[in-house]
Structure formats: structure tokens, C-alpha cells
Amino acid sequence: MSLNLIYHFQSSQNQNEHFMPPNYRVIYFFSENGMLDRAFLQEMSKSVPDADHMNLSFSNLEDLKVFALRVCLDLAKKEVRLISAQDYNIGIDGATDQKSYKNIFDKYGELAINTSFKKKGLLSKLFS
Amino acid sequence: MTYEENIKKFDVVRPGEQWFLYWNTSAALWETRIQEIPQNEIVFIPIYWGLHGVSLSEWDFGSTRPECDLLRLVHLLTRYGRSFCWIIPLTPSPFLPNGGVPTFAARSLSISYDGVHLAVFDQEMNFNKMYSYFEPKVFQSFSQFLKGFGHFLSTNQIHAPVWGSEFYFYHNGRRYSFLEDHSISFDQGFSRFLKKNNPLGVELSDQLHEFSLKENFQNEVALLFEATAETALAPFWKGSQKITCLGSSPEETIQRSLAGGKSQLDYTKDLFEHYVNSEWISSVLLTPVEKKGLLTSILKEHYGTFAIEKRYNLSPFKKNMSNEFSPYGVIDIFGGRRELINNKIGLTSYLDKFFPWLYQIQERVDFTSEWIDSNQHKIKIFQGKELDRTTFAQILKLFLMGQKVLINRSEMGEGFEKKIQIFLIENNIKVQNVNFMTFTQVCELGEGRLILFEANKLIENNHKEKYWDHIFQYLHLTQPEIKMDQDVFTLWRIRATSEDELSYLDVRRLNIYNPTSYKKSVKIKTHKHFALMKMIDPNRANAKSTPEGVDIEILPQGKIALDFGHYEES
């Protein structure tokens, strides 16, 4: 029922005399059915006007969360777990099989809950 | 079939491409397993070099542990008359724990371009983490292992060929070497490389310059591993192969951990992409569930013994067509891989539409008489900016021999431009200048055609496919026309005619696959040059002859093959 997002944090740096602000770039965003479509994610990222929509890059963690929850809302998912590449790597270091690998997201991911999510009852499922 | 039933049938020792993973079973069972291998199959034995490592200076080839007893393995193979080759990994290997690196040298995990550790699920869903080959201790261990292995081969007079292998994963249309690493081990190695090559220091303010230096460093390290292996195993060394392992990219690791996994359709798309790019693959990482159904058929039919032996130069190159089916294509593209992937000049999208999987992107020209004869019928497209003098001379020879050659002259060196013009004048060759979308020169000599065009002028043109339509109509390719639904895959093969088929020039087999969950249809127009001979092994598919050709209906996961006789062209 949940989504998972792995992001890469790049701290601010000077490049060719240009100052590059820090950014949080989405590397992988997936549900239990597989990777989410990039064009769909780019469209969703427009909910954060300051984001780099093409590269799915955000200037702070709050904006990344807003985006992730917007995707959650659109896909009617209950929650999304956000995990940095560094934490994902720590998880990989300790994982030994499929089960422990899948646990990385529960163990290290930061949970963001879609408060608008309502679990469908049997009747609503039948009539939807 | 349930997963449990499927896994019982699945062979973890021989998971694909004739590989024999000796460490995946008890040494006591090797004999039984070897007896099961078909007599005509050459056995490929990848070396799990980390398994043989006791310490940096001590390598066990059977003196202590039976599972390392390669001499016993060789004796068994010889006793049962099986030919074999060794495979030495020149990069981290995704099908091996630690990527193959011995535990005493595995220090720093490799990091991908995306900043995540490289880790892969194997065919039993064991989680293999890749360790950096840039760690100095890995190279020291590798050299020591090679020394020990070379000594083992020569002492025991084992003359089987040794092939080096560089392993790759595939992501978004690009192949990435498992050697590529963005960890601290790479950075430390890179600074040593910079210090050595620039004792006075180097300014790295330009990112592109830094990328290029890093690429040079990686290439140097790749060459170092290969050269060390070649030197240590010189009498047995046959060369190296680049192998793309299906299911091994960081994204695929995530996909494969999910309940739905990676779909058969996506694997089929990858497989056909590798086919077009002439890339060799390995399916050893795929689980029984991933490999079930259509994927197994495609692998067997197009990556089976025939293809393997051709790839490893184990079967003699035949000048003339044989009675066995061999892959058939009509266009070879040399160079310009990056531009082709981006489809800037509209060529690949045109070919995908009208000649799907009938073209291949090649790395180099193999200018032997066998190659020239067996590829006589193919249109060859070259990128002028990538030509060297040898290839340039070979292209002109191909044209003089009556072959059809296209050269993209954009950014071609001035020297070559002059040489072409001199060649045309000296040989009194008729030249037609055409101004349609771009400037094109068409040269004719007997059957030979040489077309010079400026592809850069096509980039901005929204109707560039029309240009290719005119070119290929002019070149007159005789090929049945196929109209098919999306996500249906086809591959052609060809063979010589037998005694009772003399009314044909050759026989062509079309394999059609539907890896989707939907019913699909395919219409083939034979254009009076081809006659349907027979239908082979239809599985969830049927075909019916029509006045225009053949209509096929193919159910989900269905496949069918059709043989066509090719008539004399009027």
C-alpha cells in the first residue's frame, strides 16, 4: 500500500565560478508494482513551483516531502517512505537476502503519511 | 507451475549460456552434473576467484578444499569427452558473492553513477554486493591469483582456452561496466593517477574535463586488469568478451525485490535491444519465475549453441550459407552509437518502424574475406567523423566490390573529403548530386552504391524519416513487409535451400513472439518475392495464408515461426 522514494542529497558547491545551491534529487520512486513513470513524476513535481521538474530535483527536504505526498494523493496511497542514498547504502551493507533488503525501507525510511487517504470499505470497493 | 515446482526444475549449476557454476553444487555431484551436459555443448566455466583465495599469497585449487579442486573438475570433463573454456572475470561479477573478490581483499563497496551501492540478486535471490576493483588490494590479489592459476594450468598441462569477461548492466539504453565505481577507493586511485601523470598538479575546475580524466583512468584500470590476465595466462588466452547481465542494474535490483518483479515484456525489450546493439548477454541471474515461458524460448532460439560458438569463434566462419538457420539482418551501422541512441537523425526510428530488428549497430569492421562474402547483401552505414585511414580504404573497397555503402560526411576530416573526390574522378564514377533535406551524393559503379550524406542537416528537420524512406526505396531492399501491433517482437534467420527447394534462392525463418498479456495480430505482405512454406511450433498462435501474404493471431505469451521461400527477383 505504500510508496518508496530514494533521493540523493547534493550539498552546495561552487562550480566554474557558479554557486550551486544544495539539492535533493529523486533517484528511484516506486510502488509495489514497480517504478513510477518519470513523465508522471515530472508532472506531479509541478506542485512544487521552485523544483527542477526536468531532473526531479528539490531545494529542500520539505519540498521533496510535499512532492512525495502529492504523488501519494494522486495514486491513492496511504504513505510514502523517503530514504537518502546514504541510508540506503547503510541498509545494503547490512542486507543479506531479499527479506532484509526489503526491510531497508522500513528501517531507514522516513515515513510521510497521506492524511487524505481513506481505506475503502467493501461497499465502496464494490461501487467504485 | 508454482514457484516451488519451477525451482525444482531449475538448474543453478547450469543456469544459462552453457555456463557451469561449479561452486553452486557439492564437488561430489560434479560427475553426475557433467554427464547431464549434452555432448555437443562446449562448457564455459566462470572462475570464482575469491573462492580459491586462502590469503594473498596462497591459492587453493584443490589441495585443501574439494570445492576448489579444479583439477578434478578438468579430469571429469575430459573423462566424459566435454570440451570446455575458462572465463576469468575482469570486472566485479554480479553472479558471485562480493562480485568474486576474496573476503580478505573486499574492503570498499562499489557505488553506481546514482550514488547507491551496486548490489544484485542472483538466480536464487542471494544478495551479491559488488566490491570496488579500484581498491589496491584487489589488484594485488587478482595478480597473485592469476599467477597461481597460470601455474596450475601449465603444471597440469590443461590447454583449454581462457576468455576474459567484462560484465555490464543495462540502464536506459546505456551499458555500464561493473568496473565503474564512484566510491572513495576510486577517488583515491584517481588522485594517485593525477599525481603520477601531472607531477606539477592539475586544475579540475571544468566538470567535463574531470569526467574525461576519470573516464581515462577507468579505461586504464580496465586495460591493466586485462593485460595482467593476458600476460599471466598467455598460452591459453583467447581474448575478452563484454557481457551484459540481464537483471543486474540498481533499478532492476529494486524491481526484482518487488512482488511483481520485472516483467517478461521488459526483459524481452532489453534482449532485443542487446541484439540490435550486437551485445552479448548472460541470463544467469534470472530466477526460474523470471525465465519461464517465452524468455526461455527466445534465449534458446537466438542465444543458443549456434550463437555462443559464433561469439567465441568456436565454429569456423562459413563463407557460404549453410543448411542451418543463422541470424539474418539487412543493415549494419558502424559507429555513432550515442547519436543513434538519441535518434537525432531519425535513422533508428525509421528502421524500427520498417526494418525492426533487421539492423545491427557494430563496433568495428571485421574485414576478412569470409565476413565480406557473408555480409555482401547488407547495407553498411558509416560515420565519417569516426573513420580512420584503414576503415576508409576498406569502405571504398566494399563499394568497388559491388556493395551498398553510406557515409555520413558530417564532421568528416577534410583529408577524407579530398580523397573521396579524387577516388571518384580517378575511377570515372558517375555521381548524382541531390538536394533533398540535405546534400546527398549518389555514386554508382555496377552493383555498387556509395551514398554520401550530411546527417547534421537532418537533425532540425521534422520530416527526416522521409529522407530515409527515399534512401531505402532507392536501395531496393527485398524484404517482406510486416505490420504488427505494439510489443510484438520478430527476428529473421536464413538458411541455404535443400535439394527439393531449388526453386528458391534461400529460405528465411521469421520467429514471432508476444510477451504481453494481450492478444496481438501481425500481417505479413510477401510482395511476390516470398512464398509461405510452413508454420513451425505454433504455441498459442495461428497463421492463415491470404492473397497478400500471411495473417497471424498470437495470444499472450504466444509464439510462432514461419518459413518463407525467397524467389528469384525479376
Side-chain angles (χ1 to χ4, degrees):
Chain A
M1 290 296 278
S2 70
L3 299 172
N4 292 298
L5 184 158
I6 306 176
Y7 64 89
H8 186 270
F9 170 65
Q10 178 71 60
S11 56
S12 59
Q13 53 183 336
N14 286 319
Q15 217 161 67
N16 301 345
E17 296 168 7
H18 294 293
F19 174 73
M20 310 283 285
N23 70 74
Y24 294 77
R25 184 170 54 84
V26 176
I27 312 176
Y28 304 111
F29 201 168
F30 58 96
S31 72
E32 62 276 17
N33 297 322
M35 294 292 158
L36 301 182
D37 180 60
R38 193 162 175 90
F40 162 73
L41 293 177
Q42 283 166 338
E43 191 56 39
M44 290 292 108
S45 72
K46 289 177 184 162
S47 57
V48 181
D50 292 341
D52 174 352
H53 309 302
M54 194 65 193
N55 295 311
L56 293 177
S57 176
F58 301 83
S59 52
N60 57 59
L61 198 53
E62 276 315 303
D63 282 356
L64 182 70
K65 270 188 207 168
V66 170
F67 157 72
L69 283 169
R70 178 71 186 81
V71 175
C72 239
L73 190 69
D74 206 76
L75 296 177
K77 298 284 179 186
K78 188 181 165 192
E79 58 198 24
V80 54
R81 284 181 191 276
L82 293 92
I83 182 168
S84 68
Q86 288 86 340
D87 286 342
Y88 177 71
N89 286 345
I90 294 169
I92 283 193
D93 213 353
T96 52
D97 53 18
Q98 190 181 3
K99 196 179 165 195
S100 52
Y101 172 75
K102 286 176 90 170
N103 273 343
I104 295 174
F105 303 98
D106 292 340
K107 199 171 168 186
Y108 298 98
E110 188 188 341
L111 189 66
I113 293 172
N114 170 14
T115 48
S116 317
F117 176 80
K118 278 184 191 147
K119 202 172 176 183
K120 284 182 178 177
L122 183 64
L123 283 176
S124 61
K125 268 186 191 169
L126 280 174
F127 293 108
S128 62
Chain B
M1 197 186 288
T2 63
Y3 182 83
E4 283 72 24
E5 283 167 337
N6 206 336
I7 205 160
K8 271 182 202 162
K9 282 192 168 185
F10 192 64
D11 193 344
V12 291
V13 182
R14 295 195 298 129
E17 290 77 53
Q18 300 178 198
W19 286 18
F20 187 87
L21 310 186
Y22 60 93
W23 61 91
N24 266 351
T25 188
S26 151
L29 294 174
W30 285 350
E31 186 166 3
T32 324
R33 302 311 319 272
I34 286 167
Q35 283 174 285
E36 289 165 6
I37 301 171
Q39 196 79 40
N40 65 323
E41 277 189 10
I42 291 163
V43 184
F44 290 82
I45 310 171
I47 297 290
Y48 178 5
W49 64 285
L51 180 76
H52 299 273
V54 181
S55 69
L56 191 61
S57 55
E58 195 185 338
W59 298 86
D60 181 7
F61 295 106
S63 53
T64 320
R65 290 173 295 165
E67 65 269 27
C68 295
D69 194 350
L70 293 183
L71 187 59
R72 185 170 162 263
L73 183 65
V74 169
H75 283 158
L76 289 170
L77 287 161
T78 316
R79 186 189 306 162
Y80 293 104
R82 265 60 172 189
S83 306
F84 64 96
C85 301
W86 305 106
I87 294 180
I88 299 285
L90 301 174
T91 64
S93 316
F95 52 89
L96 294 173
N98 293 350
V101 175
T103 38
F104 55 80
R107 288 186 174 173
S108 155
L109 285 166
S110 286
I111 293 185
S112 77
Y113 59 91
D114 264 344
V116 297
H117 280 325
L118 275 176
V120 179
F121 287 110
D122 72 5
Q123 75 273 35
E124 293 178 280
M125 292 306 271
N126 298 314
F127 197 48
N128 295 337
K129 295 166 213 169
M130 301 299 108
Y131 279 84
S132 176
Y133 261 39
F134 291 93
E135 170 62 44
K137 202 153 187 195
V138 172
F139 181 69
Q140 283 170 27
S141 314
F142 188 70
S143 328
Q144 291 297 322
F145 161 76
L146 289 171
K147 220 167 134 184
F149 187 59
H151 180 71
F152 162 77
L153 294 181
S154 42
T155 317
N156 296 295
Q157 297 195 334
I158 302 165
H159 300 293
V162 181
W163 282 90
S165 281
E166 295 168 50
F167 296 103
Y168 288 78
F169 66 82
Y170 180 73
H171 178 69
N172 275 351
R174 225 196 106 182
R175 217 165 42 155
Y176 294 83
S177 169
F178 272 99
L179 184 72
E180 187 178 321
D181 177 27
H182 299 261
S183 74
I184 192 147
S185 291
F186 176 88
D187 290 340
Q188 286 167 347
F190 182 56
S191 357
R192 286 193 294 271
F193 167 79
L194 287 181
K195 269 184 202 158
K196 192 182 146 205
N197 292 320
N198 308 279
L200 300 174
V202 60
E203 184 71 37
L204 285 182
S205 55
D206 180 6
Q207 213 173 15
L208 278 177
H209 181 52
E210 188 181 332
F211 281 150
S212 145
L213 285 171
K214 283 186 170 171
E215 207 174 303
N216 288 348
F217 172 55
Q218 187 184 310
N219 292 341
E220 274 205 17
V221 172
L223 281 174
L224 180 68
F225 273 90
E226 187 178 358
T228 310
E230 190 176 354
T231 313
L233 307 169
F236 323 104
W237 189 256
K238 289 287 164 198
S240 69
Q241 291 281 355
K242 292 175 176 173
I243 300 176
T244 305
C245 292
L246 300 177
S248 65
S249 74
E251 184 172 311
E252 284 168 313
T253 296
I254 296 173
Q255 279 177 316
R256 295 178 70 206
S257 76
L258 303 171
K262 180 164 170 161
S263 70
Q264 287 258 317
L265 173 62
D266 287 339
Y267 276 125
T268 310
K269 279 182 184 169
D270 287 354
L271 211 47
F272 276 70
E273 194 68 32
H274 297 315
Y275 179 84
V276 161
N277 285 299
S278 322
E279 289 163 356
W280 191 241
I281 57 101
S282 167
S283 64
V284 295
L285 289 173
L286 303 193
T287 65
V289 171
E290 287 173 307
K291 240 181 184 180
K292 71 177 179 191
L294 218 48
L295 206 59
T296 303
S297 305
I298 300 171
L299 288 167
K300 200 171 150 193
E301 283 158 3
H302 304 286
Y303 289 89
T305 302
F306 181 88
I308 292 168
E309 293 187 0
K310 203 175 162 213
R311 193 77 186 192
Y312 286 91
N313 307 325
L314 295 167
S315 56
F317 208 110
K318 286 168 189 155
K319 259 190 177 188
N320 300 317
M321 222 185 292
S322 76
N323 292 331
E324 270 181 83
F325 278 103
S326 60
Y328 180 72
V330 289
I331 299 149
D332 271 341
I333 306 171
F334 298 87
R337 194 175 288 258
R338 205 163 283 177
E339 285 87 345
L340 288 163
I341 288 167
N342 298 335
N343 189 36
K344 278 185 179 169
I345 59 169
L347 177 61
T348 41
S349 59
Y350 175 83
L351 295 178
D352 285 340
K353 204 185 284 180
F354 296 100
F355 301 101
W357 307 293
L358 274 162
Y359 70 96
Q360 282 194 303
I361 302 166
Q362 310 282 3
E363 272 187 12
R364 60 188 174 85
V365 181
D366 180 20
F367 201 72
T368 57
S369 60
E370 290 85 359
W371 177 85
I372 294 167
D373 288 345
S374 58
N375 290 286
Q376 173 83 22
H377 65 283
K378 284 187 182 174
I379 293 169
K380 297 169 182 73
I381 305 175
F382 293 88
Q383 309 303 317
K385 67 174 177 182
E386 291 177 21
L387 293 182
D388 55 32
R389 284 170 66 182
T390 315
T391 318
F392 180 76
Q394 288 169 344
I395 293 172
L396 297 183
K397 275 183 196 162
L398 289 172
F399 166 58
L400 292 173
M401 285 174 200
Q403 300 210 11
K404 291 165 180 159
V405 181
L406 280 84
I407 305 178
N408 169 14
R409 72 202 313 175
S410 299
E411 296 169 53
M412 185 164 74
E414 239 180 72
F416 290 133
E417 278 287 355
K418 276 184 193 160
K419 276 183 184 167
I420 287 183
Q421 298 314 322
I422 293 168
F423 166 82
L424 296 174
I425 294 165
E426 274 181 354
N427 290 284
N428 200 18
I429 290 164
K430 200 170 78 182
V431 180
Q432 263 182 286
N433 293 335
V434 184
N435 263 312
F436 173 68
M437 293 193 184
T438 181
F439 178 63
T440 308
Q441 281 190 303
V442 181
C443 317
E444 293 183 8
L445 183 70
E447 292 283 298
R449 299 285 181 274
L450 174 67
I451 299 178
L452 305 159
F453 64 102
E454 287 177 35
N456 281 1
K457 289 187 182 164
L458 294 171
I459 294 172
E460 299 298 319
N461 196 314
N462 292 331
H463 306 285
K464 48 198 159 214
E465 277 190 17
K466 264 191 185 168
Y467 177 80
W468 296 111
D469 199 30
H470 282 278
I471 291 284
F472 286 102
Q473 272 188 32
Y474 166 74
L475 291 170
H476 186 62
L477 280 171
T478 313
Q479 187 62 26
E481 186 185 333
I482 304 179
K483 283 194 173 153
M484 58 192 173
D485 290 339
Q486 204 186 351
D487 294 332
V488 176
F489 296 82
T490 59
L491 274 180
W492 286 93
R493 286 182 287 170
I494 192 167
R495 70 162 168 81
T497 51
S498 61
E499 281 172 11
D500 54 345
E501 298 165 339
L502 292 178
S503 52
Y504 301 128
L505 290 168
D506 51 63
V507 177
R508 299 193 193 173
R509 175 168 290 177
L510 175 66
N511 287 92
I512 309 172
Y513 306 97
N514 174 14
T516 70
S517 322
Y518 303 95
K519 187 168 112 179
K520 302 278 179 179
S521 67
V522 179
K523 273 182 192 294
I524 301 167
K525 286 185 185 173
T526 46
H527 291 309
K528 294 181 183 168
H529 287 296
F530 296 89
L532 176 66
M533 291 166 68
K534 60 180 174 183
M535 184 161 67
I536 305 110
D537 299 335
N539 181 15
R540 300 171 64 78
N542 65 66
K544 65 173 183 214
S545 207
T546 66
E548 285 193 310
V550 190
D551 282 359
I552 299 144
E553 267 195 357
I554 183 160
L555 295 171
Q557 297 295 312
K559 67 167 189 135
I560 190 170
L562 303 169
D563 277 1
F564 292 93
H566 178 202
Y567 278 108
E568 185 81 51
E569 288 161 36
S570 55

